[in-house]
Amino acid sequence: MTDAGDALRTADLSRTFSGFKAVSGVTLEIPFGGVRTIIGPNGAGKTTLFNLLSGLLPPSAGRIFYGDRDITSLQPHRRARLGIARSFQITNIFGRLSVYENVRLAAQAVYDGKAGFFFPSRSMRGVAAKTESILGDIGLGAAADAPAETLSHGDQRRLEIGLVLATDPRVLLLDEPLAGMSPTETQATVDLIGRIGDGRTIVLVEHDIDVVMRISTTITVMQTGQILAVGTPQQIRENEAVQRAYLGGLA
Ligand SMILES: Nc1ncnc2c1ncn2[C@@H]1O[C@H](COP(=O)(O)OP(=O)(O)O)[C@@H](O)[C@H]1O
Ligand SMILES: [Mg+2]
């Protein structure tokens, strides 16, 4: 996979639930690099689109491509191995284990998968270094020895992002990473997203429009399962159809 071309692309992607079109004919291109944010009212189909991109749900119609590769029917773990990873709100955290152990186990799983058992000491050093580096990225170095279950909600969500980072994702899918966070936690997580964006594509679903305008490279607006608009934050702010959909809420 080179940096050129599209990281992720969909062609006429749809998902129906008992006849109801949650995602309807979505064609989008998410080029490599930067922060792509998907916004739209509740029920617009944002989470369903994420479920299709990560492979959690099969589409009813349409295709998904990663680079030149058609990944429409790949299972989530196969997509993760290609570098498309998604965070699963807290459910992957082992509460009784320390923050350090949680990250180490996630990093270890990747080394076990990649390096095998031929160079155990080298891979152990690699795992330790990677664990430290991720703890630094997510800002939880000082909490390394704390049981994960004792962390605040915001810290747990950052730990969850750390667990995904351990898999070396090229494309990171984050569904409402700021949900339920205090202003301080929100700022810490926004900083985190900024730090981990280098050499990766971040795809976000987010409601906090101030944050969205600040951190997005490109915004895709969804409404009733379809794409209403795509553009830079400035273009989206000035888009009349978007303004109508949000009743002036973006002004
Ligand atoms: N598993 C499901 N079964 C039935 N309907 C669903 C399912 N998942 C989502 N929907 C419906 O699809 C629409 C889009 O939902 P969703 O993708 O969660 O929207 P968003 O994340 O933008 O709020 C909603 O009307 C929702 O009720
Ligand atoms: Mg949603």
Side-chain angles (χ1 to χ4, degrees):
M1 177 75 47
T2 65
D3 286 4
D6 300 325
L8 257 186
R9 194 158 62 81
T10 71
D12 217 6
L13 198 65
S14 296
R15 171 67 201 205
T16 312
F17 295 110
S18 321
F20 174 78
K21 287 188 169 180
V23 168
S24 178
V26 165
T27 296
L28 59 72
E29 294 179 8
I30 303 176
F32 182 80
V35 176
R36 167 69 59 106
T37 309
I38 319 273
I39 64 171
N42 273 331
K46 305 178 299 292
T47 295
T48 303
L49 176 63
F50 259 44
N51 290 339
L52 297 172
L53 292 175
S54 65
L56 203 65
L57 277 178
S60 308
R63 314 299 309 173
I64 306 170
F65 302 92
Y66 183 49
D68 295 334
R69 190 161 171 176
D70 186 332
I71 61 166
T72 313
S73 48
L74 282 193
Q75 293 297 308
H77 70 276
R78 305 267 324 272
R79 294 187 203 199
R81 221 176 289 154
L82 290 177
I84 305 168
R86 150 169 206 174
S87 69
F88 285 98
Q89 315 187 345
I90 296 178
T91 50
N92 285 343
I93 294 175
F94 295 104
R96 301 270 171 86
L97 296 185
S98 71
V99 169
Y100 184 93
E101 283 299 297
N102 269 278
V103 176
R104 190 188 63 80
L105 284 172
Q108 179 79 54
V110 174
Y111 270 87
D112 286 348
K114 280 184 182 164
F117 44 76
F118 295 107
F119 303 104
S121 63
R122 194 164 85 188
S123 80
M124 286 309 284
R125 277 200 300 279
V127 168
K130 184 165 182 185
T131 302
E132 299 287 344
S133 145
I134 290 172
L135 286 173
D137 277 341
I138 60 178
L140 291 178
D145 295 331
E149 63 192 4
T150 65
L151 295 180
S152 70
H153 171 74
D155 285 348
Q156 287 199 14
R157 296 222 61 184
R158 274 192 299 284
L159 173 56
E160 173 207 332
I161 292 174
L163 301 185
V164 188
L165 286 175
T167 68
D168 292 328
R170 297 270 290 167
V171 180
L172 188 53
L173 304 167
L174 302 173
D175 192 356
E176 301 197 35
L178 308 177
M181 288 192 176
S182 70
T184 314
E185 290 174 340
T186 295
Q187 189 52 51
T189 308
V190 166
D191 292 345
L192 163 62
I193 291 168
R195 274 198 301 278
I196 63 180
D198 260 3
R200 293 199 178 93
T201 309
I202 313 270
V203 189
L204 283 180
V205 170
E206 190 43 55
H207 283 297
D208 184 330
I209 203 70
D210 292 332
V211 170
V212 169
M213 289 296 170
R214 210 151 25 101
I215 69 175
S216 306
T217 315
T218 307
I219 298 171
T220 296
V221 186
M222 287 187 74
Q223 192 183 28
T224 58
Q226 297 174 310
I227 292 181
L228 180 66
V230 183
T232 62
Q234 184 65 24
Q235 288 167 335
I236 292 301
R237 201 189 293 278
E238 292 167 356
N239 185 294
E240 283 181 19
V242 175
Q243 284 178 2
R244 271 199 302 278
Y246 276 84
L247 299 169
L250 291 181

